[in-house]
Amino acid sequence: MKRKLITYAILLALAAVSITPFLYMLSSSVKPRSVFFSSPFLPTTPLFLLDESTGDLAAGDISLLPEPGTPQRYTLEIDVFRGDQNLSTQTITLLWGSPDQLAENEVLIPPDIDVNQSLTQVPSGEASPPTDPTTAAPLGFELTDGNDRGLAGVAWGLLTADNFDRLFRGEPLDTDGDDVPDARRPTGVWRALVNSIFYASVSALLATLASAMGGYSLAKFRYRGRATLDNAVLASLVIPGAVLIAPGYQVLYGLGLLDTYAGLILPALGPAFGVYLFRQAMISSVPDGILEAARIDGCGEIKMFFVIVLPMVRPMTGAFLLINYLGAWNNFITPQIVLQSPEKYPLAVWIAQLRGVYGIDYGLIMAGTLVAIAPPLVLFLMLQREFISGLTAGAVKG
């Protein structure tokens, strides 16, 4: 029992570590720019923010304010110190309401308040400032009491779908006139999404079909040179893909296939790994007697392959289809080498292009990455049974 508990604890810890990047990406996609780096996951911004070096009091999670028309006073206690010496404790009262309700020495919170908007400057209360400020210790401010926080300390009101809105509808443009009140610059995510679906789907289907045919030929046909082909396929497995980038580019250039989808898809057809994988699956899962009986009954080779052979290796077909689809979907290097037109880029490359010249919009990138995960996730859920069966094929003797 103790050993099981330890095993489960280790598995849960590994699962938590594995899912942490996904949770970070999910939380980052719904955080606004103003608090993106304030916390690693969900924002923990309180109602009021205090700059501890300047004493500037600003607005934080304004969703914690009551509904308009509901007056509310907030009394904040702020310690002011210089070095290790506590100078004073300042009490500041802020009013959320109408100006006619404002009492003496109170600060009015504007009705159209925005996040990070400055409200007031905290006085130091220092009786005699240092004669030489350059050598004196700097002032420090610390908000000690009266600051509200959301449930569990999380600023739920700051979470927003603005990143997804900008991703799908486009970046808002600053316009001087009112003739285009909601002008936006398209991001091109829809075109990139269609490009990825087309490229990954066609590549996966054709590569799976070609690999199944090649594996069937090596496993069930007897012809001169078959052993040589077997050895060539097996030997090509040890060649790193990066080594083939330069000669592959030269071949595509000679054929005039650069900056075309054909130049992206054709080199991925019939991978050696897939051919050898299906060869082994055909040997272990397709009995020769069934093929002989089909031939005696007059079944043609093409019909026999699609009607008899492929259904018998369905788990391996589903597993390889999913592996190939994920590989094509996440392919990042090859599209950048083959394609030169940005409108032809798949989603993986398009997301990398979201980096600006003067800054990086991390929220937009996280939202785009989350969208890029969705199609492969749906496909995996649809083919998970075949995927698991294909990976475990031959593991247990029946």
Side-chain angles (χ1 to χ4, degrees):
M1 184 65 180
K2 186 177 180 181
R3 181 176 298 177
K4 286 185 177 181
L5 291 176
I6 295 175
T7 303
Y8 291 151
I10 294 175
L11 292 177
L12 287 175
L14 293 176
V17 171
S18 301
I19 203 173
T20 296
F22 175 77
L23 294 178
Y24 176 78
M25 178 182 61
L26 180 62
S27 63
S28 298
S29 66
V30 294
K31 287 196 297 186
R33 301 179 185 180
S34 57
V35 296
F36 191 88
F37 295 103
S38 63
S39 57
F41 288 96
L42 296 175
T44 57
T45 308
L47 176 55
F48 300 108
L49 302 174
L50 178 66
D51 191 320
E52 297 183 352
S53 60
T54 65
D56 182 48
L57 187 65
D61 185 5
I62 58 176
S63 66
L64 298 176
L65 291 171
E67 292 293 327
T70 305
Q72 177 72 41
R73 283 180 169 84
Y74 301 91
T75 301
L76 307 179
E77 292 185 1
I78 301 170
D79 288 342
V80 185
F81 51 90
R82 186 183 293 278
D84 297 332
Q85 181 185 5
N86 190 0
L87 300 178
S88 64
T89 298
Q90 300 294 326
T91 301
I92 295 180
T93 302
L94 299 102
L95 171 66
W96 170 252
S98 58
D100 56 353
Q101 298 171 323
L102 190 65
E104 188 178 358
N105 296 328
E106 288 185 344
V107 178
L108 181 66
I109 302 176
D112 56 348
I113 189 172
D114 197 4
V115 178
N116 292 332
Q117 180 177 346
S118 180
L119 299 175
T120 185
Q121 190 78 23
V122 179
S124 65
E126 192 172 18
S128 55
T131 55
D132 189 359
T134 58
T135 59
L139 278 175
F141 300 83
E142 182 180 2
L143 206 165
T144 57
D145 191 26
N147 205 5
D148 292 346
R149 291 181 176 271
L151 181 64
V154 176
W156 301 103
L158 292 182
L159 300 183
T160 177
D162 178 65
N163 294 321
F164 293 96
D165 179 71
R166 292 187 294 116
L167 181 71
F168 289 108
R169 297 180 58 201
E171 288 279 3
L173 297 176
D174 294 331
T175 55
D176 297 331
D178 296 332
D179 51 339
V180 187
D182 192 22
R184 291 175 178 264
R185 182 180 70 253
T187 58
V189 63
W190 295 108
R191 179 64 182 266
L193 187 60
V194 171
N195 291 343
S196 283
I197 293 176
F198 171 77
Y199 164 54
S201 301
V202 174
S203 296
L205 288 174
L206 294 182
T208 301
L209 181 61
S211 298
M213 288 180 172
Y216 175 61
S217 171
L218 293 177
K220 297 301 179 181
F221 287 92
R222 301 292 182 268
Y223 49 87
R224 182 176 299 177
R226 185 175 68 92
T228 303
L229 285 178
D230 263 343
N231 295 332
V233 170
L234 192 60
S236 62
L237 291 176
V238 302
I239 301 177
V243 176
L244 303 177
I245 291 179
Y249 181 87
Q250 189 173 10
V251 171
L252 293 177
Y253 175 78
L255 296 176
L257 294 179
L258 291 179
D259 201 24
T260 64
Y261 290 119
L264 199 60
I265 294 173
L266 289 178
L269 300 185
F273 171 73
V275 172
Y276 191 77
L277 196 68
F278 275 101
R279 173 189 178 275
Q280 297 303 110
M282 300 291 182
I283 292 176
S284 60
S285 302
V286 182
D288 292 336
I290 293 181
L291 302 181
E292 294 294 338
R295 292 189 179 98
I296 292 175
D297 289 341
C299 182
E301 294 294 335
I302 297 179
K303 182 179 180 181
M304 184 167 57
F305 174 75
F306 285 101
V307 176
I308 298 176
V309 176
L310 275 185
M312 296 184 71
V313 291
R314 178 180 172 181
M316 184 59 67
T317 303
F320 186 73
L321 180 68
L322 182 58
I323 293 173
N324 221 1
Y325 186 91
L326 292 176
W329 184 274
N330 296 321
N331 194 356
F332 182 72
I333 300 297
T334 306
Q336 293 188 86
I337 296 174
V338 177
L339 303 177
Q340 284 85 40
S341 302
E343 63 271 11
K344 296 181 181 179
Y345 284 159
L347 202 56
V349 178
W350 176 84
I351 291 175
Q353 307 301 315
L354 289 177
R355 294 175 298 177
V357 178
Y358 302 105
I360 300 177
D361 192 339
Y362 291 100
L364 193 65
I365 292 177
M366 292 298 178
T369 305
L370 194 63
V371 171
I373 291 176
L377 180 62
V378 172
L379 184 65
F380 176 78
L381 293 177
M382 293 171 57
L383 298 177
Q384 59 178 330
R385 181 176 300 178
E386 283 76 11
F387 180 70
I388 295 174
S389 300
L391 293 181
T392 58
V396 180
K397 292 185 177 180

